[in-house]
Amino acid sequence: MKFVSNIHSCNVIELTKIHNPAGNITIVQNGENEFFNTKRVYYLYDVPGGSERGGHAHKGLYQLIIAASGSFDVIIDDGRNKKIVHLNRPYYGLYIVPGIWREIVNFSSGAICLVLASEKYSESDYIREYTDFKNYVNSSPNG
Ligand code: TYD
């Protein structure tokens, strides 16, 4: 099934936060949120200044992107519209639906980009060339 998506389906979600003077806890638990059940967690770290990550879309993967430490910008693009989301708190997550081109830029020093994903890694789920992404979007029923 092909997912017809747009950036307005990608929202910043405030996650559960337990305040504690000795340090806070944020929880994302399967079955207790509206997005997806997590099958994979990965994180980007030691990102050199000026690096850009992402630069691809997924055909079926849902993700929640969290700035677990530091900050960065996520540029999301549905082939028609783009927006830049600045993430700088560990209790906010950017929910990304399938069919969205994303780039992650402006990493602060020491930033950790934590990603919760709905599926295990599959290279065949990636669209890695922007021209292929545009063709994919334009060949959709509503494209
Ligand atoms: P990629 O998703 O392209 O990185 P980014 O979008 O953050 O720049 O992944 C980079 C490499 O890591 C690529 O060779 C695939 C590999 N990889 C895995 O093996 N498993 C994973 O879960 C992820 C996210 C990447």
Side-chain angles (χ1 to χ4, degrees):
M1 191 190 81
K2 186 163 170 181
F3 198 97
V4 180
S5 45
N6 68 67
I7 56 169
H8 307 297
S9 306
C10 302
N11 297 307
V12 174
I13 293 163
E14 186 164 0
L15 304 168
T16 304
K17 180 179 173 187
I18 299 179
H19 295 268
N20 186 324
N24 301 322
I25 300 178
T26 282
I27 304 130
V28 183
Q29 193 158 227
N30 283 348
E32 288 188 4
N33 54 56
E34 291 160 20
F35 16 102
F36 54 81
N37 283 340
T38 301
K39 284 198 186 155
R40 175 168 54 120
V41 174
Y42 64 91
Y43 38 100
L44 307 176
Y45 55 97
D46 290 347
V47 180
S51 288
E52 301 190 353
R53 302 296 303 251
H56 61 254
H58 286 282
K59 297 173 194 166
L61 191 71
Y62 293 79
Q63 290 170 303
L64 189 71
I65 300 184
I66 299 165
S69 185
S71 65
F72 47 80
D73 295 328
V74 187
I75 304 167
I76 52 175
D77 173 355
D78 60 20
R80 302 171 194 86
N81 297 298
K82 275 188 194 191
K83 78 176 170 187
I84 301 176
V85 178
H86 182 64
L87 292 176
N88 64 353
R89 294 282 182 268
Y91 52 88
Y92 285 120
L94 173 62
Y95 173 64
I96 301 192
V97 298
I100 300 289
W101 187 267
R102 90 289 311 275
E103 288 163 23
I104 312 178
V105 301
N106 292 333
F107 286 87
S108 68
S109 171
I112 299 177
C113 173
L114 175 65
V115 183
L116 277 51
S118 64
E119 301 296 335
K120 290 185 179 175
Y121 174 75
S122 166
E123 185 58 35
S124 63
D125 188 64
Y126 280 75
I127 303 170
R128 290 202 180 270
E129 296 295 331
Y130 194 76
T131 49
D132 294 341
F133 170 67
K134 288 291 280 187
N135 290 338
Y136 183 82
V137 168
N138 290 333
S139 67
S140 75
N142 301 331

